[in-house]
Amino acid sequence: MCVVLPQLLKLNNFKRDMASTIIVRTPVLTGLGALFTTHGLSKKSVVLFDENTRKLFGDAILSVLDHEGFQWKELVVPAREASKSFNAAYRLYGSMIEADVDRSWNLIAAGGGVVGDLGGFIAASYFRGIPVIQLPTTLLAMTDSAIGGKVAINHPLGKNLIGFFHLPELVLIDPSYLATLPQREIYTGMAEVVKYGFIADGQLFTYLDTHFSDITDLKEPYLTEAVKKSAAIKDDVVIKDFRETDGLRATLNFGHTFAHGLEKLADYRHLRHGEAVTLGMVCALFLSHNLGYLDRESLERGVALLQRFRFPKGVVKRRFLDIDRDLLLESMFSDKKKLNKKLRFVLLKHIGEAFLLEENIDDQQVLQAIADAQERFKPATIR
Ligand SMILES: NC(=O)c1ccc[n+]([C@@H]2O[C@H](COP(=O)([O-])OP(=O)(O)OC[C@H]3O[C@@H](n4cnc5c(N)ncnc54)[C@H](O)[C@@H]3O)[C@@H](O)[C@H]2O)c1
Ligand SMILES: [Zn+2]
């Protein structure tokens, strides 16, 4: 006799809701029809691109869908952050309704984090939710934004404020898509890759240290290995702390408290997120060391790796890390003060282990970490 306990059923449902299948391989779309069927997905897909990913990969992707017997509807948005808006979403809902897209369809988001976040947002809300399949084409999307189910659009009062937790059914990663990605975007994504080494995996850190140029030059097998490891770490953290309740998911924000202040000072225009994160991680390393958590040798190893990142000439000229320290602190606080909140910092115990510091830190400590980073870090320009 087989008795299925209600708790077990609940747990299974819970687990199903909490897991995405992530596939990393080149080419990744072979056998797509069978893959969709195995995952209970219909062969009816809305495919969202931005103008660049439509041009670069659109014909190839849509011809695979034809070949695999899919019914599809393509949607294209401008390739910019502003596409993560309610207006853009509203327009896309309209196109989908007109094309008779209903609950039996799914949505494939083919692009960087903008397309992934917008596509996920639309999928989470359209007809009370249809499945989303992430097909990331930037290094940042492959290793970060496409994984974990946080989907959002921006509001004029702030980034990513309106959104859902909507896990992708599948994340299909093909590192060969990165061949056309500009160098600047490679370094932007690489910041998050290195972050995983810092917060979760000392061996990955050593691997990245050894093969940094191989990866930024997109050499195989190093690139795929780095993408695989990063995606697995993000997925693991997300499964363990889906709604960011026990501080684990918050460790993904290593360097980000400083980075958000820098991005704001740069009007979210002059500095890519990953560039701000690179600079923010230098500050966070010094803060970890100055507060007595991270030893000198690890600090030096960390700074040396970050020193290998390259920035566009314009960014170096603007000397973002050399700005007035009080101004940066104020910018880091800006949206917190309104909510009467404290700044939260993720620190390192050693390379490969991070934690969210619960207690309040004196402003002087934060300013000192910025000063140390400013003195030590000399950004190099993209060749
Ligand atoms: N949901 C999350 O958990 C999460 C995490 C991090 C970032 N994000 C979001 O991700 C977004 C940033 O994502 P992004 O850095 O991928 O930027 P993006 O989507 O704007 O892509 C960057 C640029 O690269 C182009 N591009 C994409 N793939 C290409 C390719 N293979 N070759 C050449 N050009 C290509 C795009 O058209 C765009 O111009 C932000 O909106 C951010 O808020 C979300
Ligand atoms: Zn980030």
Side-chain angles (χ1 to χ4, degrees):
M1 192 177 78
C2 170
V3 181
V4 181
L5 297 172
Q7 286 91 333
L8 198 61
L9 264 180
K10 251 193 214 155
L11 188 68
N12 284 342
N13 285 339
F14 177 79
K15 276 206 164 151
R16 192 180 141 58
D17 280 354
M18 296 292 158
S20 302
T21 298
I22 302 176
I23 298 171
V24 185
R25 65 166 188 233
T26 301
V28 78
L29 296 181
T30 313
L32 197 68
L35 186 67
F36 268 47
T37 307
T38 310
H39 284 268
L41 295 164
S42 72
K43 287 171 39 171
K44 292 191 273 186
S45 303
V46 172
V47 194
L48 178 66
F49 300 98
D50 72 22
E51 282 159 347
N52 295 331
T53 60
R54 173 64 186 87
K55 244 181 250 151
L56 289 164
F57 313 114
D59 290 349
I61 292 170
L62 296 175
S63 78
V64 168
L65 296 186
D66 280 337
H67 183 254
E68 298 272 339
F70 277 65
Q71 189 182 342
W72 52 263
K73 159 84 184 158
E74 69 167 306
L75 299 172
V76 184
V77 292
R80 58 177 98 101
E81 181 69 27
S83 291
K84 275 174 56 175
S85 69
F86 194 71
N87 281 349
Y90 200 74
R91 188 175 62 76
L92 298 174
Y93 293 139
S95 309
M96 288 162 70
I97 295 165
E98 276 166 14
D100 285 332
V101 171
D102 62 20
R103 275 190 67 77
S104 65
W105 286 58
N106 50 63
L107 186 146
I108 302 175
V114 166
V115 166
D117 278 12
L118 174 66
F121 178 89
I122 289 167
S125 48
Y126 189 77
F127 273 56
R128 299 192 182 81
I130 59 173
V132 65
I133 296 89
Q134 295 283 355
L135 184 57
T137 62
T138 63
L139 184 56
L140 181 126
M142 290 179 188
T143 56
D144 189 358
S145 62
I147 301 154
K150 276 191 182 177
V151 297
I153 54 171
N154 302 323
H155 187 277
L157 294 178
K159 257 177 71 93
N160 295 327
L161 295 183
I162 316 295
F164 303 89
F165 286 98
H166 189 59
L167 265 183
E169 209 65 42
L170 293 169
V171 184
L172 304 176
I173 303 177
D174 184 342
S176 77
Y177 286 143
L178 300 179
T180 49
L181 197 67
Q183 272 283 297
R184 183 176 191 183
E185 301 299 333
I186 299 284
Y187 285 112
T188 292
M190 193 65 178
E192 306 285 358
V193 172
V194 166
K195 180 191 77 182
Y196 295 122
F198 276 126
I199 65 166
D201 188 341
Q203 275 182 354
L204 173 62
F205 182 90
T206 304
Y207 186 83
L208 298 172
D209 202 16
T210 312
H211 295 294
F212 189 87
S213 320
D214 293 324
I215 298 164
T216 53
D217 291 345
L218 309 181
K219 287 205 187 113
E220 292 296 2
Y222 313 104
L223 173 65
T224 293
E225 185 62 17
V227 168
K228 262 190 194 161
K229 284 257 164 63
S230 303
I233 292 172
K234 169 105 195 232
D235 187 49
D236 186 52
V237 168
V238 166
I239 286 173
K240 289 181 181 148
D241 182 19
F242 188 54
R243 284 184 189 270
E244 206 169 317
T245 45
D246 69 5
L248 180 65
R249 191 163 184 166
T251 61
L252 295 171
N253 281 334
F254 178 61
H256 281 57
T257 310
F258 295 97
H260 291 149
L262 285 163
E263 281 181 286
K264 194 171 162 61
L265 279 180
D267 285 335
Y268 297 99
R269 270 194 300 145
H270 306 295
L271 208 51
R272 299 284 289 134
H273 173 69
E275 289 160 0
V277 171
T278 304
L279 301 173
M281 288 192 291
V282 182
C283 299
L285 283 174
F286 276 103
L287 189 61
S288 306
H289 175 67
N290 294 349
L291 292 174
Y293 294 105
L294 188 69
D295 63 51
R296 163 71 54 185
E297 192 197 330
S298 305
L299 167 75
E300 294 300 335
R301 280 186 76 203
V303 174
L305 180 55
L306 293 171
Q307 197 62 73
R308 297 169 72 178
F309 279 78
R310 292 179 173 273
F311 300 76
K313 274 205 187 88
V315 169
V316 175
K317 261 204 193 132
R318 282 168 184 268
R319 301 161 66 94
F320 279 107
L321 200 54
D322 292 345
I323 44 177
D324 185 286
R325 292 191 275 280
D326 292 306
L327 215 64
L328 176 53
L329 185 66
E330 201 185 300
S331 169
M332 287 160 68
F333 259 117
S334 58
D335 47 337
K336 308 280 169 199
K337 278 245 168 82
K338 274 181 261 167
L339 303 167
N340 212 7
K341 274 193 182 164
K342 294 174 189 143
L343 283 183
R344 301 205 312 168
F345 288 95
V346 176
L347 301 181
L348 291 194
K349 273 189 198 152
H350 50 84
I351 289 179
E353 190 181 348
F355 67 101
L356 178 67
L357 189 74
E358 297 293 349
E359 69 247 39
N360 219 354
I361 308 182
D362 194 63
D363 284 357
Q364 281 313 316
Q365 293 283 7
V366 181
L367 291 168
Q368 185 58 50
I370 300 169
D372 292 339
Q374 288 179 330
E375 191 178 313
R376 268 297 297 283
F377 193 76
K378 303 289 168 241
T381 50
I382 288 176
R383 280 163 287 195

